[in-house]
């Protein structure tokens, strides 16, 4: 029985040490490392997208609050224009972060084209000066209502995108646990 058992073990041991099986183990290790890299990259990207969309949503809310404050005489023209300038800068910074985070997924993710088209629309408005408002036009109802309509549209686009980005971020974080690369697993 001892001789039969060693005969059964010997072929497995010999087979396990063949160059082919070593290559298979190395390939499996490479695949695992790739999976870890892509999982961590996807998680970082998802959290970056969520941060960018949160910033854009906050900027849109800031725009709308500034317009409402002006409409109800809670602010003066100088403060209102400063609010528009600050919120415009905040929105543009987070929009640029969003574009940079979406670019690697342009052909692979259904959400990238609408985000990039929106960024092009906002970039066009920035380049043409359509987001600016002169001090003399601040109390003109047709002017600030036009701005309110654009920023309301922005808010709805950003909120819808924020929920999608939130789901993507949660899924990416859960992937770390599913693949067993979390230190808490």
């Amino acid at each position: 029985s001892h001789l039969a058992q060693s005969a059964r073990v010997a072929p497995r041991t010999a087979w396990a040490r063949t160059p082919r099986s070593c290559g298979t183990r190395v390939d499996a290790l490479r695949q695992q490392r790739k999976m870890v890299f892509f999982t961590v990259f996807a998680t970082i990207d998802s959290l970056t997208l969520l941060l960018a969309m949160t910033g854009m949503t906050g900027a849109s809310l800031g725009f709308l609050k500034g317009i409402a404050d002006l409409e109800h005489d809670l602010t003066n023209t100088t403060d209102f224009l400063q609010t528009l300038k600050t919120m415009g800068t905040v929105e543009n910074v987070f929009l640029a972060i969003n574009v940079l985070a979406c670019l690697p997924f342009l052909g692979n993710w259904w959400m990238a084209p609408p985000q990039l088209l929106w960024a092009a629309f906002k970039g066009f408005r920035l380049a043409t000066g359509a987001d600016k408002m002169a001090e003399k036009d601040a109390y003109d109802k047709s002017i600030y209502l036009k701005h309110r309509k654009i920023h309301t549209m922005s808010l709805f686009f950003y909120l819808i995108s924020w929920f999608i980005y939130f789901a993507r971020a949660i899924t990416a974080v859960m992937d770390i646990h599913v693949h067993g690369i979390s230190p808490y697993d």
Side-chain angles (χ1 to χ4, degrees), residues 3-118:
L3 194 53
Q5 186 180 11
S6 65
R8 277 185 271 156
V9 174
R12 284 189 215 155
T13 306
W15 175 80
R17 294 181 186 191
T18 62
R20 181 176 178 210
S21 66
C22 289
T24 305
R25 281 191 221 143
V26 170
D27 289 341
L29 186 59
R30 284 184 187 146
Q31 288 296 93
Q32 184 179 10
R33 286 183 181 162
K34 282 182 185 177
M35 181 269 309
V36 169
F37 171 76
F38 287 127
T39 302
V40 170
F41 177 77
T43 303
I44 292 169
D45 187 70
S46 294
L47 294 174
T48 302
L49 286 166
L50 183 62
L51 173 74
M53 195 53 64
T54 301
M56 291 188 295
T57 303
S60 183
L61 288 169
F63 274 122
L64 292 172
K65 183 189 180 314
I67 293 169
D69 286 350
L70 180 74
E71 189 175 13
H72 297 289
D73 291 328
L74 298 175
T75 188
N76 60 32
T77 309
T78 306
D79 291 342
F80 169 69
L81 293 175
Q82 183 59 42
T83 299
L84 288 185
K85 184 178 177 184
T86 302
M87 290 300 117
T89 302
V90 168
E91 183 180 38
N92 291 333
V93 166
F94 284 112
L95 193 61
I97 293 169
N98 188 48
V99 166
L100 291 174
C102 280
L103 280 178
F105 304 101
L106 182 56
N108 299 324
W109 187 39
W110 67 273
M111 195 67 182
Q115 294 297 321
L116 296 175
L117 285 173
W118 183 260

Side-chain angles (χ1 to χ4, degrees), residues 101-168:
C102 280
L103 280 178
F105 304 101
L106 182 56
N108 299 324
W109 187 39
W110 67 273
M111 195 67 182
Q115 294 297 321
L116 296 175
L117 285 173
W118 183 260
F121 169 72
K122 294 300 269 186
F124 176 75
R125 287 185 54 81
L126 180 66
T128 60
D131 277 342
K132 297 204 185 271
M133 185 184 299
E135 191 169 347
K136 65 179 179 62
D137 295 333
Y139 284 104
D140 185 0
K141 190 171 185 169
S142 65
I143 301 290
Y144 73 74
L145 285 180
K146 182 178 75 170
H147 282 270
R148 185 169 72 185
K149 184 170 82 174
I150 290 292
H151 295 299
T152 302
M153 187 171 60
S154 296
L155 178 65
F156 282 115
F157 182 75
Y158 295 155
L159 281 175
I160 292 166
S161 299
W162 187 90
F163 283 110
I164 294 167
Y165 282 9
F166 180 75
R168 180 181 175 177

